[in-house]
Amino acid sequence: MTAEQMNRSTDAGGDPIQPRRGFLTQILALVLSGLVALLPFAAGLLVFLDPLRAKQRRQSGGSGAALDGYHKVTRLESLPDDGTPQYFKVIADRWDAWNYIPNEPIGAVYLCKGEDGDIVAFNVGCPHAGCAVEFAALKREFMCPCHSSSFSIAGERSASSPSSRNLDELPIEIVDGDVWVEFMNYRTGTSEKIPVT
Amino acid sequence: MNVLLNWLDDRIGYRGLMRDALYERVPGGARWRYVWGSTLVTTFFVQVVTGFFLWAAYSANARGAWESVFYIQHEMQGGWLLRGIHHFTAQAMVVLLVLHLMQVVIDGAYRAPREINFWIGLGLMKIVLGLSLTGYLLPWDQKGFWATKVATNIMAITPVVGPDLQKLVVGGADYGHHTLTRFFAIHAGLLPALLIGMLVLHIYVFRRHGLTPHRPDPARDSTFWPDQILRDAVASLAVMAAVLLLVLLPQLRGESPGPELGAPADPSDQFSAARPEWYFLFLFQFLKYFPGESEIIGALVIPGAVMFVLFLMPIIGRWKLGHGFNVGFLFAIVIGVGALTGIALYEDANDASFQAAKRRAHRDSARIPELIESAAGIRPEGAASLLAQDPLTQGPRIFAKQCAACHRYNGHNGLGTAVVEVRDGREIEATATATDLGNFGSREWARSVLVDYKNHFTALGHATWNGEPVGPAFLEGDMAAWSEENRDALLQNEADLTALVEFIVAQGQRMDLPAPKAELVARGREIFESGELADGELTMSCIDCHAIHVVGEDEPLSEDGVAPVLTGYGGAAWLKLFITDPSAAEAYGENNAMPAFVEKLSEQEFSLLVRWLTGDYVPTELEVGGD
């Protein structure tokens, strides 16, 4: 072992018991220094890994208690009959580490009214990498400004899109002429729709 | 494997480096007295590691610093432990620094050719003290805020550049966001970088000259690894064990884990518990001896001179008696610092108002988690506003300022301090001139008013109003007479007395008192109206004098009265009416001697005071009522 060789070379002419005692000392010195070095890392990593802990998620409250998990976005009248998607912010009470922030934007949706009067909601995030898609009025399709994924007005991806799935549709409810959306983000880059929790 | 290591060694020469690092000769063998430098390196390493992880969770802004530290301490797993290690290792470093310095001076390790390394060491000491000072502010709690404010104000007395220097450090004229960003940049960036640079130099120069052997014995020569390292590791482990013990102490005592986080900084609060960290207490105490303009002598000139003598030690040490002088000087400083610290602690321990302020600070600090819990989180404006709107902590402050000149609260001023006045040049406990409100509106209160009126309001006997005594109007008035005439009858009909008390207390609709029992209240109402007891009757019924609209009833029971109205007696609305305008017809009328507070208190102060006195606040685990 190199260390021992070196030890011998510096300890030239030491008594014969020296190496064995030296070995025990070495092990002890190593273990004890290791313990001291470990302590701050152990405490630090505990804190650093806190986000991975399965926490009891504090529910972000909606802008009304009528529908649990849903957020009121707009009135029915504000959606044009020709199906042109409209952009709306989703406002909710939000937890951010130590802060509880009432009425903050937590994301945005496109709402489109179909010919049959049905309403569809899309999360504005592109399923490819999460940029907010834009609606190109001329082509009547959704375009992602980042990597040029494109989606039909019904949210279907075009064959050449880097995105591996269609725009993420969100559940909606209509209550007394108000449009409520259950807002959720999904993991990007997957062909499956997996909610981010 | 060996091939790979040889390849690496050919390129970076790590074997030589390791040999130099580990197999340094320790003349005379490894010794415990050489461990101090190494424990300092260890503690610094611990601070860098824990500091990094704290950094990853800390927010340096005036509305988020305290809040993020609160979150680290109370919400993140192991946060209190991490914060505790950083907090106490910082203090351990200061202690080790002093020990290291003493060992170096006693052993004469500053002598040629080690002068420069001694000076580097002094520089390192300044940096560590700078780290302590800047770190103390970062939690942005009351303690750190006020203590650091003092420190930066002292900085401003530096001749010529002082005020500008202060502005640069504080980031403007006032404490705020930029104070924190700057302190944080200095604490986590500049000072550690400087420290690492100078530490490398310090160790390099130390290695160049070797240890200063204490009574060397060539037969026992040894090497740094493993003999000295083992001792260093044991010493470092002992230091960390002591730190861990200090971190765990509150938990072992059954208190909230981790080092205390004071209440969030509030520049408007009268925070009388401001003290620097314990190892700066001597400077704090020292400043007390320099009145007025001479402050600069105590704050800068003398500490500067002491540092200068320390700096000169390698040169002084060349003279025959120099070393003796150096050791003597250092001991004198250590004893002086110890004595000043002792005096500071002794004076504080015997200062009743400081002790009360400290208790209040601990109370605020224990209260704030309850408020955050109840508010379901901290709003973006920060946590300080939660405390500022809390009746339990703010009510007593208003009481002490506005009410305690006459009233008492369980014998004190609401904040746990006796009310004093100066007479013949001495401070003596002042005589109360109005009733003690400690149990205002409770069953005991109502009972005492009924059967022991004169004693209950006896303090009024000491009051005067426009030169006239106030006492007679109350203590010799109709109610006092009624109480005396009916005491025996009421006491003989204990059940009826209880019922009457229950009825009166029910009027206040107080949530903090045990709920009134309906059948007792009903019976009490009968007595209140008729004055008829199970055995005998009252000389006059209550409604003969008092107007009242019984709670929950459509019609008033009695509309006219010559005595104070009892509608909602003991509740928030009643109390507010009496504080706003005590001389109103519904209140004490012309008998009144209490000043009207309608213009003295803001709407918010009224609400805080009244809600405190009527027990309307977020429930608490703290002791209520004070000592």
Side-chain angles (χ1 to χ4, degrees):
Chain A
M1 205 207 122
T2 40
E4 216 159 287
Q5 284 159 7
M6 283 184 214
N7 209 357
R8 223 166 276 147
S9 65
T10 41
D11 259 344
D15 65 65
I17 304 174
Q18 192 67 25
R20 189 202 286 263
R21 195 184 68 97
F23 181 70
L24 279 176
T25 313
Q26 287 187 25
I27 293 292
L28 212 56
L30 208 63
V31 169
L32 294 187
S33 331
L35 269 180
V36 174
L38 208 65
L39 177 74
F41 279 106
L45 281 172
L46 261 183
V47 177
F48 196 75
L49 298 178
D50 182 77
L52 298 184
R53 196 160 55 121
K55 243 177 288 185
Q56 213 186 340
R57 272 218 170 258
R58 285 180 274 208
Q59 202 64 50
S60 51
S63 30
L67 285 163
D68 202 28
Y70 282 74
H71 307 289
K72 188 158 77 179
V73 171
T74 185
R75 299 274 308 160
L76 265 181
E77 302 91 85
S78 56
L79 301 177
D81 289 329
D82 67 357
T84 304
Q86 301 292 308
Y87 179 95
F88 295 99
K89 284 180 181 176
V90 180
I91 308 287
D93 299 346
R94 192 168 76 89
W95 280 97
D96 183 4
W98 55 87
N99 272 142
Y100 180 69
I101 310 165
N103 296 324
E104 250 217 339
I106 57 168
V109 292
Y110 280 110
L111 294 183
C112 330
K113 192 191 241 175
E115 276 167 24
D116 49 2
D118 278 358
I119 295 181
V120 183
F122 296 117
N123 191 324
V124 299
C126 175
H128 173 226
C131 296
V133 297
E134 289 163 6
F135 182 70
L138 196 64
K139 288 178 157 177
R140 287 192 77 74
E141 63 177 22
F142 293 103
M143 285 286 302
C144 180
C146 293
H147 308 103
S148 307
S149 288
S150 59
F151 306 88
S152 74
I153 204 159
E156 282 157 0
R157 62 182 285 272
S158 66
S160 61
S161 285
S163 173
S164 52
R165 65 168 191 262
N166 299 337
L167 280 182
D168 296 320
E169 198 178 327
L170 298 169
I172 63 158
E173 290 284 344
I174 313 286
V175 181
D176 301 333
D178 290 324
V179 184
W180 294 67
V181 174
E182 187 183 15
F183 186 78
M184 216 178 292
N185 287 311
Y186 296 89
R187 240 186 262 176
T188 56
T190 56
S191 50
E192 248 175 299
K193 208 171 142 188
I194 308 163
V196 177
T197 51
Chain B
M1 187 67 180
N2 244 344
V3 178
L4 199 68
L5 291 178
N6 286 337
W7 180 87
L8 198 65
D9 191 42
D10 284 344
R11 274 144 194 88
I12 63 169
Y14 78 93
R15 282 190 184 126
L17 210 66
M18 293 281 282
R19 194 163 43 233
D20 288 350
L22 294 177
Y23 297 102
E24 194 223 1
R25 208 173 64 87
V26 180
R31 277 172 174 277
W32 288 108
R33 66 188 305 135
Y34 303 147
V35 300
W36 301 119
S38 296
T39 55
L40 276 167
V41 175
T42 309
T43 45
F44 176 60
F45 165 80
V46 170
Q47 292 304 76
V48 170
V49 175
T50 50
F52 165 77
F53 285 112
L54 284 169
W55 185 358
Y58 175 73
S59 172
N61 78 83
R63 300 223 188 289
W66 186 91
E67 290 75 5
S68 64
V69 177
F70 178 86
Y71 192 74
I72 293 171
Q73 173 116 343
H74 292 277
E75 299 283 341
M76 300 183 85
Q77 63 180 355
W80 61 270
L81 178 67
L82 179 66
R83 185 169 170 251
I85 294 174
H86 198 75
H87 179 84
F88 285 111
T89 307
Q91 304 184 17
M93 262 184 110
V94 175
V95 175
L96 294 170
L97 209 62
V98 173
L99 292 173
H100 187 47
L101 177 69
M102 288 175 73
Q103 180 246 326
V104 164
V105 172
I106 292 169
D107 283 355
Y110 53 72
R111 289 204 187 95
R114 299 185 174 86
E115 304 97 320
I116 291 188
N117 215 20
F118 181 75
W119 293 331
I120 294 174
L122 289 183
L124 283 165
M125 180 171 87
K126 285 256 161 189
I127 294 174
V128 171
L129 293 180
L131 281 164
S132 298
L133 194 81
T134 47
Y136 200 51
L137 174 74
L138 296 181
W140 204 246
D141 59 352
Q142 288 280 56
K143 201 167 63 161
F145 179 86
W146 290 98
T148 313
K149 222 169 173 165
V150 173
T152 51
N153 283 339
I154 289 171
M155 183 181 275
I157 65 171
T158 312
V160 191
V161 294
D164 284 340
L165 192 65
Q166 183 191 26
K167 262 192 187 165
L168 283 178
V169 169
V170 170
D174 280 324
Y175 266 47
H177 290 320
H178 269 169
T179 317
L180 278 166
T181 53
R182 279 167 183 252
F183 268 67
F184 192 42
I186 293 170
H187 182 79
L190 180 68
L191 291 179
L194 274 177
L195 198 148
I196 290 169
M198 285 180 69
L199 188 60
V200 168
L201 268 180
H202 195 60
I203 294 172
Y204 166 76
V205 179
F206 159 72
R207 283 299 173 89
R208 184 179 160 85
H209 301 306
L211 268 166
T212 308
H214 184 74
R215 279 178 281 164
D217 172 8
R220 301 186 53 191
D221 278 8
S222 141
T223 50
F224 186 56
W225 170 265
D227 288 355
Q228 185 60 42
I229 287 199
L230 179 63
R231 281 174 169 75
D232 292 350
V234 170
S236 301
L237 204 60
V239 170
M240 291 323 293
V243 165
L244 268 185
L245 184 70
L246 288 168
V247 176
L248 294 175
L249 214 54
Q251 209 169 28
L252 297 176
R253 286 207 207 103
E255 294 161 15
S256 160
E260 187 182 31
L261 173 64
D266 177 357
S268 71
D269 190 41
Q270 205 167 11
F271 188 73
S272 316
R275 289 292 180 271
E277 194 63 299
W278 61 267
Y279 42 80
F280 286 127
L281 264 184
F282 74 95
L283 270 178
F284 156 84
Q285 181 67 22
F286 199 48
L287 288 185
K288 291 189 192 169
Y289 306 121
F290 296 89
E293 297 277 308
S294 67
E295 184 188 15
I296 188 165
I297 299 174
L300 299 174
V301 177
I302 293 179
V306 167
M307 274 312 289
F308 189 61
V309 174
L310 285 179
F311 180 82
L312 289 181
M313 275 188 176
I315 296 162
I316 298 170
R318 289 182 187 169
W319 283 299
K320 202 174 160 197
L321 295 175
H323 181 64
F325 170 83
N326 284 341
V327 174
F329 182 78
L330 188 67
F331 269 91
I333 293 296
V334 170
I335 290 168
V337 165
L340 283 170
T341 310
I343 295 170
L345 292 173
Y346 177 81
E347 283 187 1
D348 280 350
N350 290 289
D351 180 346
S353 65
F354 172 77
Q355 291 300 325
K358 208 166 111 179
R359 273 199 303 277
R360 196 156 71 236
H362 288 313
R363 208 176 148 76
D364 287 354
S365 143
R367 174 64 168 162
I368 190 96
E370 295 179 340
L371 298 174
I372 291 173
E373 177 72 29
S374 145
I378 303 167
R379 297 299 183 275
E381 64 265 27
S385 63
L386 281 175
L387 203 62
Q389 290 158 14
D390 173 38
L392 177 64
T393 44
Q394 302 310 314
R397 288 168 159 88
I398 299 166
F399 185 89
K401 212 163 65 184
Q402 303 283 0
C403 317
C406 304
H407 290 278
R408 297 293 179 273
Y409 189 88
N410 292 338
H412 57 75
N413 70 345
L415 292 167
T417 315
V419 181
V420 293
E421 62 183 0
V422 177
R423 193 173 293 166
D424 304 329
R426 282 188 309 138
E427 266 194 353
I428 54 162
E429 183 155 359
T431 311
T433 55
T435 319
D436 191 307
L437 297 176
N439 65 353
F440 170 74
S442 67
R443 287 170 174 79
E444 299 73 47
W445 167 280
R447 192 185 164 93
S448 155
V449 171
L450 289 173
V451 301
D452 205 8
Y453 186 91
K454 227 170 159 169
N455 270 326
H456 188 87
F457 292 103
T458 186
L460 290 171
H462 304 296
T464 53
W465 181 247
N466 293 334
E468 296 288 318
V470 172
F474 292 89
L475 305 179
E476 292 160 27
D478 295 341
M479 183 67 196
W482 183 94
S483 173
E484 240 161 55
E485 290 160 12
N486 293 291
R487 173 183 304 140
D488 292 341
L490 284 166
L491 289 175
Q492 277 156 21
N493 291 277
E494 180 60 38
D496 282 350
L497 174 58
T498 308
L500 187 55
V501 164
E502 199 76 357
F503 169 74
I504 292 171
V505 168
Q507 304 310 309
Q509 295 181 284
R510 291 265 293 264
M511 303 306 290
D512 58 325
L513 301 172
K517 294 188 185 73
E519 67 270 34
L520 281 179
V521 174
R523 169 70 188 134
R525 188 186 184 284
E526 283 172 31
I527 302 164
F528 190 92
E529 187 176 3
S530 67
E532 279 171 26
L533 302 170
D535 178 17
E537 61 176 358
L538 300 169
T539 53
M540 287 171 88
S541 81
C542 305
I543 59 163
D544 288 345
C545 297
H546 292 284
I548 186 168
H549 188 150
V550 177
V551 60
E553 294 184 7
D554 294 336
E555 298 290 323
L557 177 61
S558 148
E559 280 186 284
D560 312 307
V562 294
V565 67
L566 295 184
T567 303
Y569 180 76
W574 186 92
L575 189 57
K576 190 172 175 194
L577 167 76
F578 270 67
I579 301 173
T580 318
D581 187 8
S583 61
E586 305 95 317
Y588 300 117
E590 54 193 29
N591 284 342
N592 175 60
M594 172 170 151
F597 280 84
V598 64
E599 280 169 359
K600 291 192 184 173
L601 293 173
S602 70
E603 196 57 37
Q604 197 199 13
E605 284 174 315
F606 257 123
S607 154
L608 288 169
L609 179 64
V610 165
R611 286 179 61 196
W612 171 57
L613 284 169
T614 55
D616 175 20
Y617 40 72
V618 173
T620 183
E621 299 269 310
L622 299 172
E623 210 172 302
V624 176
D627 34 346

